[in-house]
Amino acid sequence: MRLHIEFEDELIERIDAIAGPRGRSKFVREAVEKALDWERRWMLIRASRGAIPDNGHEWDDDPAEWVRKQRHSDPRRVG
């Protein structure tokens, strides 16, 4: 599908400096895909706010010790 988008000349010059005049479409397509992925990730992060309570965890007293115990409790771990 084709889409007509207008850009300021200065922005086109900046795109061309990176992608070249024959690479504009690919550059813009990839930039939009990255922006959409970034937005999707932030939507997931915002949606997960509050999913874990602020306290009442095993790691509250000593997070570093809890991590050490987790690492050493896996028999597949080497070292």
Side-chain angles (χ1 to χ4, degrees):
M1 179 181 291
R2 291 184 176 265
L3 174 68
H4 179 81
I5 300 175
E6 294 184 20
F7 290 112
E8 298 293 327
D9 291 344
E10 190 268 333
L11 185 57
I12 296 293
E13 290 171 8
R14 291 172 54 195
I15 293 170
D16 286 353
I18 295 171
R22 304 294 300 162
R24 287 178 188 164
S25 291
K26 180 182 178 192
F27 181 86
V28 171
R29 183 174 44 254
E30 289 174 354
V32 169
E33 287 173 353
K34 288 177 185 176
L36 288 170
D37 186 54
W38 186 86
E39 287 295 333
R40 181 188 61 82
R41 290 172 189 238
W42 273 111
M43 285 172 46
L44 291 171
I45 289 170
R46 285 190 292 270
S48 68
R49 277 188 288 189
I52 298 175
D54 291 337
N55 53 36
H57 312 106
E58 302 173 40
W59 59 81
D60 285 345
D61 293 333
D62 187 353
E65 179 61 25
W66 182 83
V67 169
R68 274 191 293 282
K69 285 180 182 177
Q70 294 298 309
R71 289 178 178 162
H72 293 291
S73 68
D74 186 350
R76 298 171 297 170
R77 185 176 184 274
V78 177

